[in-house]
């Protein structure tokens, strides 16, 4: 199992080594992360005061309301 957590806006590589998360701060406890692989947006996560997550083909991704993105494969 590989895990990674990042705490800042910008582009971060995810646990599968292929996908990236493009994280943008939109406001206080308000972030958006576009999950991109091979040039295509696979999913978008957006926080608004609460954590959000998804299962993207076996990679579990969580974006916290504080802007921390975690990915586990």
């Amino acid at each position: 199992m590989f895990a990674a957590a990042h705490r800042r806006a910008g582009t971060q590589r995810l646990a599968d080594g292929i996908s990236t998360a493009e994280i943008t701060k939109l406001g206080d406890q308000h972030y958006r992360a576009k999950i991109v692989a091979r040039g295509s947006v696979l999913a978008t996560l957006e926080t608004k005061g609460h954590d959000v997550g998804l299962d993207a083909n076996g990679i579990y991704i969580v974006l916290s309301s504080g802007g921390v993105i975690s990915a586990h494969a």
Side-chain angles (χ1 to χ4, degrees):
M1 176 183 278
F2 181 82
H6 302 281
R7 180 186 291 274
R8 63 182 171 89
T11 301
Q12 310 295 329
R13 182 147 321 270
L14 298 180
D16 65 355
I18 298 169
S19 305
T20 59
E22 297 173 1
I23 305 166
T24 306
K25 183 172 183 171
L26 304 173
D28 186 41
Q29 293 190 336
H30 191 180
Y31 288 83
R32 178 179 297 137
K34 290 183 183 178
I35 310 305
V36 180
R38 296 180 179 94
S40 297
V41 176
L42 303 177
T44 301
L45 297 167
E46 189 167 331
T47 66
K48 291 183 182 176
H50 63 279
D51 299 349
V52 294
L54 60 83
D55 174 358
N57 294 325
I59 302 171
Y60 302 97
I61 304 168
V62 176
L63 178 63
S64 77
S65 61
V68 176
I69 191 154
S70 301
H72 307 273

